Amino acid sequence: MSEKKEQLHTQACKARNHAYSPYSHHKIGAAVLLDNGYVYSGCNVENASYGGTICAERVAVVKAVSETQAPVKIEEICVVSDARDPWPPCGFCRQVIAEFAHPDVKVHVGNLEGIKKTYKLKELLPDAFGPAFLKKY
Ligand code: ZN
């Protein structure tokens, strides 16, 4: 594993330890690497309303946006669960990642053993809806 991927995996695993998941009992961690070199991580935070639940990926992205001065540009993202076949981001998270990432951005998915698969964002969300569409209206 490259040093960058390893760092992201480690950060995602650390964040996973903070997951608040009393309903699903699935702890998820995520880490995003920005083009400025900063890494932000997040865990899933569930809610009794279910609809108020936020995934680890979105927590990491929201933290990056709220804590970074410059425009957020995601370079890579890593998502970690304890599933044998690692879980890719849900559709909602794919859309949120796409807001701040180039379609070629790498999305690593893994479990506690390590990264098991790497996608390009455009494979997970082809023809993503983005800000450019709003300008064409
Ligand atoms: Zn999600």
Side-chain angles (χ1 to χ4, degrees), residues 55 57-58 90 93:
C55 302
E57 300 92 311
R58 277 181 282 143
C90 74
C93 287

